[in-house]
Amino acid sequence: MVDMETIVSLCKRRGFIFQSSEIYGGLGSTWDYGPLGVELKRNVKEAWWNTVVRQRGDMVGLDAAILMHPRVWEASGHVAGFADPMVDCRKCKQRFRADHLESLEKCPECGGDLTEARMFNLMFKTFMGPVEDEAAIVYLRPETAQGIFVNFENVRETMRKKLPFGIAQIGKAFRNEITPGNFTFRTREFEQMEIEFFVKPGEDEEWHQRWIQDRLEWYRQYGIQPEKLRLREHACDELAHYAKACTDIEYEFPFGWSELEGIANRTDFDLRQHAEYSGRDLTYFDDQTQERYFPYVIEPSAGADRATLAFLIDAYHEEQVRNEKRVVLRFHKALAPIKAAVMPLKRNEPRIVAIAKELADNLRKCMSAMYDDTGSIGRLYRRQDEIGTVWCLTVDFQSLEDQTVTVRDRDTMEQIRLPIAEVPARLKEQLDNAC
Ligand code: GAP
């Protein structure tokens, strides 16, 4: 399996992910997505949105504000309970999450004594307006979910939705993690892709199982090797304060099996709490049974950064081709940051260059494409393989004669000739069929 150092180095070298504020020495565990990383992450989010919103009749979307009324976080239980136990080493001064340590006797780094565990709230606090006092405190949201719960009634009413239905949202979340790390796996600023799916009480367990299977299938559909995915049910003592049950989808990262997504049964906890704290009626009237009740909620909650990292790691392949190491990112076609790269066989032959540039322009109208003449064809192939470009198109002297180009497939390395005029439509068709 590829190690994290190789992935981090490829990400920097090829423009996927850079350290944040690097010219100032960086800011701990914050990362910037470069030109290829932003395309990849957008494709991951788009694939998720297409699957869970556009292709379903029982889902709608939302984009709520990051800053919310402070009472939201009292009602949700985050002010009182969103905390991790923290210990400090008295000798080397390092800080650890107590529940991540095997023993609380000695520091795992230097063997020094550890302090007693203290609870540390993970929410970032700031102040709204010019006055920095208690009354002006607001929090950066630690989950996008609450934006959905407080809009439950707005969405249900305006969209005339009946149970079961769900609301999906993609957005930033912030947690002052005690021990961030493993590249973009655990950071203090990250993006979530969350669904709150509202169901009739009593139907929640069945819906929970359906969502677990649907979400597992999504990762497989977009190319993650099935043997690298597994489900892990939470034990009672690890459940969040709002959950009756939770199953994680885990991926085998180079640092071990770790959570990609959690699918929780949040019961009616959140709607009940917000009804109580806001004084609003958030019950649902079931016109079939003529009953009023708080819907139960199934919550598939994924991290956009973690999913992107898993797709990157899983796509990474090294192979020997004619005594040379070939590095290739075998992304699913829909996720690849660049679908097609057009290259001229000779960059100082104006007729070839003109055809290649025109073809790249035509491809750009329907997919992410680039023109590249910055090296020999062999070098350009290697570079495009390393960023996962699906097709490399070469314009050569024969193109001048018969208006065809070679199309090289990233995965099979097979080369075929296609009429230039047909290339955009033929490749677009393959992309559409892949989704
Ligand atoms: N609303 C439920 C919720 O937030 P969570 O398990 O704390 O549940 C859901 O987070 C997902 O968000 C995780 O499975 C993970 O993919 C992502 N996530 C959570 N904390 C993260 C962090 N510090 N850095 C990156 N991603 C994170």
Side-chain angles (χ1 to χ4, degrees):
M1 185 196 292
V2 61
D3 56 38
M4 284 308 287
E5 265 177 55
T6 307
I7 291 291
V8 175
S9 140
L10 183 143
C11 282
K12 179 171 165 57
R13 195 160 28 87
R14 293 299 187 205
F16 281 92
I17 300 173
F18 308 123
Q19 192 182 16
S20 163
S21 323
E22 194 189 47
I23 61 168
Y24 288 98
L27 177 69
S29 297
T30 49
W31 302 95
D32 297 339
Y33 287 82
L36 297 183
V38 68
E39 291 288 344
L40 173 64
K41 191 172 164 192
R42 283 175 77 113
N43 292 342
V44 169
K45 291 188 283 184
E46 188 71 11
W48 183 86
W49 192 264
N50 278 338
T51 305
V52 307
V53 181
R54 299 222 172 102
Q55 290 166 13
R56 296 180 65 119
D58 56 1
M59 291 282 306
V60 289
L62 183 78
D63 186 3
I66 288 173
L67 301 177
M68 302 180 73
H69 195 289
R71 291 274 286 164
V72 168
W73 306 110
E74 289 171 29
S76 69
H78 284 80
V79 170
F82 192 55
D84 282 336
M86 174 177 82
V87 288
D88 292 303
C89 172
R90 294 189 201 279
K91 196 167 151 201
C92 71
K93 308 293 176 207
Q94 277 212 63
R95 189 159 271 185
F96 305 96
R97 253 179 78 169
D99 54 336
H100 283 179
L101 296 182
E102 277 182 12
S103 146
L104 292 179
E105 298 293 308
K106 294 285 174 206
C107 170
E109 294 296 326
C110 73
D113 289 337
L114 296 172
T115 58
E116 289 286 301
R118 287 169 292 148
M119 293 311 277
F120 173 77
N121 194 296
L122 301 183
M123 281 200 294
F124 277 100
K125 252 186 217 174
T126 186
F127 301 94
M128 197 147 185
V131 188
E132 296 196 4
D133 68 10
E134 281 288 308
I137 287 177
V138 287
Y139 300 96
L140 301 187
R141 66 181 177 198
E143 60 171 9
T144 62
Q146 298 304 324
I148 297 180
F149 293 126
V150 301
N151 277 296
F152 167 72
E153 200 44 26
N154 283 336
V155 173
R156 190 201 60 73
E157 204 176 290
T158 52
M159 303 308 286
R160 301 264 169 258
K161 281 294 188 196
K162 294 204 184 303
L163 294 189
F165 77 94
I167 306 175
Q169 168 162 232
I170 299 177
K172 289 266 184 174
F174 303 82
R175 294 181 191 175
N176 203 356
E177 298 280 2
I178 297 165
T179 45
N182 285 325
F183 199 27
T184 54
F185 179 82
R186 191 183 306 283
T187 52
R188 295 191 171 104
E189 172 183 345
F190 54 95
E191 223 169 341
Q192 289 188 314
M193 308 188 289
E194 295 204 296
I195 297 165
E196 307 303 326
F197 197 78
F198 301 93
V199 301
K200 188 175 175 183
E203 295 178 2
D204 50 309
E205 289 180 13
E206 191 196 328
W207 274 107
H208 193 198
Q209 293 311 314
R210 280 167 80 163
W211 273 109
I212 292 168
Q213 291 311 321
D214 281 7
R215 293 300 307 138
L216 183 62
E217 183 48 34
W218 182 80
Y219 290 101
R220 292 182 181 151
Q221 184 193 338
Y222 281 95
I224 301 249
Q225 303 163 78
E227 64 275 18
K228 297 275 186 177
L229 291 166
R230 72 177 187 193
L231 297 175
R232 191 183 71 80
E233 211 173 310
H234 283 213
C236 293
D237 60 357
E238 5 162 24
L239 287 174
H241 61 275
Y242 49 71
K244 159 177 158 184
C246 184
T247 295
D248 285 346
I249 297 176
E250 294 189 335
Y251 176 72
E252 192 178 17
F253 287 92
F255 44 85
W257 287 96
S258 304
E259 176 187 343
L260 259 186
E261 167 162 355
I263 301 140
N265 182 340
R266 283 182 89 126
T267 70
D268 56 4
F269 176 86
D270 300 271
L271 288 180
R272 262 185 202 282
Q273 288 290 105
H274 287 304
E276 188 185 327
Y277 278 67
S278 67
R280 292 289 187 92
D281 180 4
L282 299 180
T283 54
Y284 173 81
F285 180 70
D286 188 327
D287 50 16
Q288 282 189 329
T289 62
Q290 300 288 305
E291 289 170 288
R292 229 173 221 296
Y293 51 78
F294 284 104
Y296 265 40
V297 173
I298 304 303
E299 179 193 64
S301 172
D305 307 272
R306 276 190 198 177
T308 302
L309 181 61
F311 283 118
L312 244 169
I313 291 169
D314 212 71
Y316 186 93
H317 286 82
E318 281 181 14
E319 52 199 40
Q320 282 301 119
V321 178
R322 289 186 293 278
N323 293 336
E324 247 192 87
K325 185 173 89 173
R326 175 181 185 236
V327 173
V328 55
L329 293 184
R330 295 194 194 282
F331 289 123
H332 184 282
K333 289 187 179 67
L335 301 187
I338 308 281
K339 314 299 183 204
V342 188
M343 33 194 82
L345 185 69
K346 262 183 122 29
R347 66 179 158 191
N348 48 11
E349 169 50 69
R351 290 174 305 158
I352 288 182
V353 168
I355 294 176
K357 285 190 170 168
E358 191 186 347
L359 178 56
D361 283 344
N362 285 336
L363 282 163
R364 276 191 200 100
K365 291 175 191 156
C366 54
M367 66 188 70
S368 60
M370 65 186 284
Y371 169 83
D372 195 358
D373 67 1
T374 55
S376 66
I377 292 294
R379 246 183 102 128
L380 295 181
Y381 279 168
R382 277 199 297 283
R383 188 186 306 161
Q384 294 298 336
D385 283 344
E386 216 184 350
I387 62 172
T389 301
V390 186
W391 297 287
C392 286
L393 315 177
T394 309
V395 180
D396 55 17
F397 287 100
Q398 192 182 327
S399 312
L400 301 175
E401 308 288 317
D402 64 4
Q403 285 76 50
T404 63
V405 285
T406 52
V407 180
R408 173 187 177 267
D409 182 283
R410 176 197 68 197
D411 297 330
T412 61
M413 290 204 287
E414 228 175 50
Q415 302 195 18
I416 54 167
R417 284 201 87 89
L418 284 182
I420 296 170
E422 289 177 20
V423 165
R426 296 272 288 265
L427 301 190
K428 177 75 172 42
E429 193 187 347
Q430 287 195 48
L431 280 182
D432 291 345
N433 290 339
C435 293

